[in-house]
Amino acid sequence: MKYAITILCCLWAFQGHAQNLELNQLKSFITRPVGKVTDSLKKAGWIAHPELSGVQNQQMYQTLSFGKSKTEKGKALAWFRVHADVGIINQLYYQSPGIAQFNALLEEIKATGTQKKEEQSIEDKKLNTYYVSPDYIYQTIVGENSFTVMVMANKQ
């Protein structure tokens, strides 16, 4: 019985942190088959949303969510969207569960030696900022209660 409780506690702890993805994890998804990435996310508790997924102009996109907000009924804790050409991920968007996780990702982006682009834009009350490294392009999108990081390969 003691072991069963320990296992349940470990699973519960894992589920609570599965929505917190680190920058290295996000970068590792780029150029991987979309099926493998979404399968691993589903095993970690993410839920696929076919109604928010599809194919448009030769590019497939899939959307997943994680958890439920305790304060806002029907709202997920985190969102993840992958874009793929010919089944290989070339771009992803990760809406973090909160400002603390977003700030951690932003610090990781800055620590990789990126160059922050001076141009920023505000669209639909969201601030867009771009960071470029030799290997990746990052976009941070900050809204009222929304903190998103986009990652894509830098094909120079």
Side-chain angles (χ1 to χ4, degrees):
M1 183 66 170
K2 184 164 83 171
Y3 294 113
I5 292 172
T6 302
I7 290 171
L8 286 174
C9 288
C10 288
L11 288 172
W12 177 79
F14 174 74
Q15 290 291 323
H17 296 288
Q19 80 275 8
N20 293 330
L21 300 175
E22 295 178 357
L23 187 61
N24 282 336
Q25 287 175 290
L26 297 175
K27 291 190 309 188
S28 75
F29 295 153
I30 302 294
T31 70
R32 290 196 47 214
V34 69
K36 287 188 177 195
V37 171
T38 56
D39 286 348
S40 69
L41 288 170
K42 288 177 190 176
K43 287 179 185 174
W46 289 80
I47 298 168
H49 289 273
E51 72 279 9
L52 300 173
S53 303
V55 177
Q56 182 177 355
N57 297 330
Q58 302 291 332
Q59 188 171 71
M60 175 177 59
Y61 54 96
Q62 287 191 317
T63 305
L64 300 101
S65 68
F66 188 92
K68 301 271 187 228
S69 172
K70 292 178 183 171
T71 57
E72 295 181 57
K73 199 170 194 168
K75 184 177 177 187
L77 293 176
W79 287 91
F80 194 83
R81 181 175 176 137
V82 296
H83 292 240
D85 284 328
V86 194
I88 304 297
I89 296 173
N90 59 9
Q91 184 177 15
L92 60 85
Y93 291 84
Y94 169 59
Q95 183 178 337
S96 68
I99 187 73
Q101 176 62 16
F102 174 80
N103 284 335
L105 283 170
L106 185 56
E107 290 305 314
E108 287 183 84
I109 289 170
K110 291 176 181 178
T112 62
T114 58
Q115 177 185 1
K116 181 180 177 182
K117 293 298 180 184
E118 294 303 316
E119 293 183 28
Q120 294 181 330
S121 64
I122 298 176
E123 297 174 25
D124 297 327
K125 297 181 182 179
K126 293 181 181 177
L127 176 64
N128 297 290
T129 306
Y130 296 89
Y131 299 84
V132 179
S133 76
D135 298 322
Y136 295 94
I137 297 172
Y138 307 97
Q139 176 186 14
T140 58
I141 307 163
V142 178
E144 194 172 314
N145 291 313
S146 172
F147 310 98
T148 304
V149 173
M150 183 277 296
V151 179
M152 67 184 286
N154 188 0
K155 299 177 185 177
Q156 295 182 358

